């Protein structure tokens, strides 16, 4: 369970894009007793490199320790803390909701539109909606959908970039 009393931090890392690097990073967190709230990984515009966006909760001291430990890993090229006010971040979620009748389906289509989501699958008794935005927006949509019965949720985790011309490179 996430501890909401502690501040949230986004850590961006550039790593070598090769097998075992995600394990190495996750294992460092495990060994040190740090928790990962979410992690996303994908190739970058630079050949052979990947970007990890890691969301963590903790004290400033905890985050400093995480950064020091990440910098010690051979396959980690660069580590940065993303400042919330200077960051564009998004998360994607797929939410499958029980829609027993046409009124429930109609309501869910309206909710999807309000949240700028998309209905991506409709079955006889369920509907799957794609919602993209910040975590609070996705949480709000899921909470609203609970009255109909949330069958399943898949979330990507947060991915983020700094605003403006500043970039994180090797």
């Amino acid at each position: 369970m996430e501890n909401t009393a502690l501040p949230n931090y986004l850590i961006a890392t550039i790593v070598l894009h090769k097998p075992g690097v995600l394990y190495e990073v996750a294992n460092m967190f495990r060994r040190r007793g740090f928790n990962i709230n979410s992690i996303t990984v994908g190739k970058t515009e630079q050949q052979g490199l990947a970007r990890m966006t890691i969301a963590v909760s903790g004290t400033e001291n905890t985050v400093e320790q995480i950064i020091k430990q990440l910098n010690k890993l051979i396959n980690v090229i660069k580590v940065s803390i993303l400042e919330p006010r200077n960051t564009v971040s998004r998360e994607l979620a797929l939410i499958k909701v029980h829609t027993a009748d046409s009124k429930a389906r109609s309501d869910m289509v309206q909710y999807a539109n309000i949240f700028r989501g998309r209905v991506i699958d409709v079955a006889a008794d369920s509907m799957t909606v794609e919602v993209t935005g910040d975590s609070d927006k996705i949480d709000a949509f899921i909470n609203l959908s609970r009255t109909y019965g949330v069958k399943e949720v898949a979330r990507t985790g947060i991915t983020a970039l700094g605003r403006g011309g500043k970039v994180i490179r090797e």
Side-chain angles (χ1 to χ4, degrees):
M1 182 193 274
E2 185 177 324
N3 185 348
T4 55
L6 295 173
N8 294 315
Y9 292 89
L10 281 179
I11 301 169
T13 64
I14 302 299
V15 299
L16 295 180
H17 185 56
K18 64 182 196 176
V21 176
L22 175 58
Y23 171 79
E24 180 183 22
V25 169
N27 194 40
M28 182 281 296
F29 275 80
R30 181 199 58 80
R31 281 191 327 268
R32 301 291 181 202
F34 301 134
N35 189 45
I36 297 171
N37 294 338
S38 78
I39 186 168
T40 59
V41 185
K43 291 189 235 177
T44 69
E45 72 288 352
Q46 295 176 278
Q47 183 80 22
L49 297 180
R51 180 187 182 97
M52 290 185 182
T53 304
I54 306 167
V56 297
S57 296
T59 63
E60 250 182 71
N61 187 47
T62 299
V63 174
E64 285 176 19
Q65 288 302 310
I66 290 170
I67 290 169
K68 285 178 186 175
Q69 294 301 317
L70 285 170
N71 278 317
K72 288 181 180 180
L73 299 176
I74 293 168
N75 293 308
V76 172
I77 307 300
K78 179 93 174 170
V79 180
S80 295
I81 293 180
L82 297 174
E83 297 294 330
R85 68 185 177 281
N86 295 322
T87 302
V88 177
S89 66
R90 293 289 181 270
E91 183 176 356
L92 175 125
L94 302 177
I95 303 102
K96 187 181 295 183
V97 181
H98 179 69
T99 52
D101 55 34
S102 61
K103 179 175 178 355
R105 281 189 292 280
S106 175
D107 288 350
M108 287 311 303
V109 168
Q110 287 180 15
Y111 294 156
N113 288 335
I114 290 168
F115 280 80
R116 293 191 176 116
R118 293 186 328 138
V119 175
I120 58 171
D121 185 58
V122 178
D125 66 342
S126 68
M127 180 177 289
T128 302
V129 178
E130 172 190 299
V131 179
T132 305
D134 64 27
S135 297
D136 290 341
K137 176 183 174 183
I138 292 171
D139 290 341
F141 183 84
I142 291 169
N143 288 333
L144 184 63
S145 301
R146 287 190 197 286
T147 58
Y148 297 95
V150 174
K151 290 183 159 201
E152 200 170 14
V153 174
R155 293 176 83 151
T156 60
I158 299 167
T159 192
L161 289 174
R163 292 185 183 274
K166 186 177 178 188
V167 298
I168 300 169
R169 293 200 181 225
E170 63 174 306

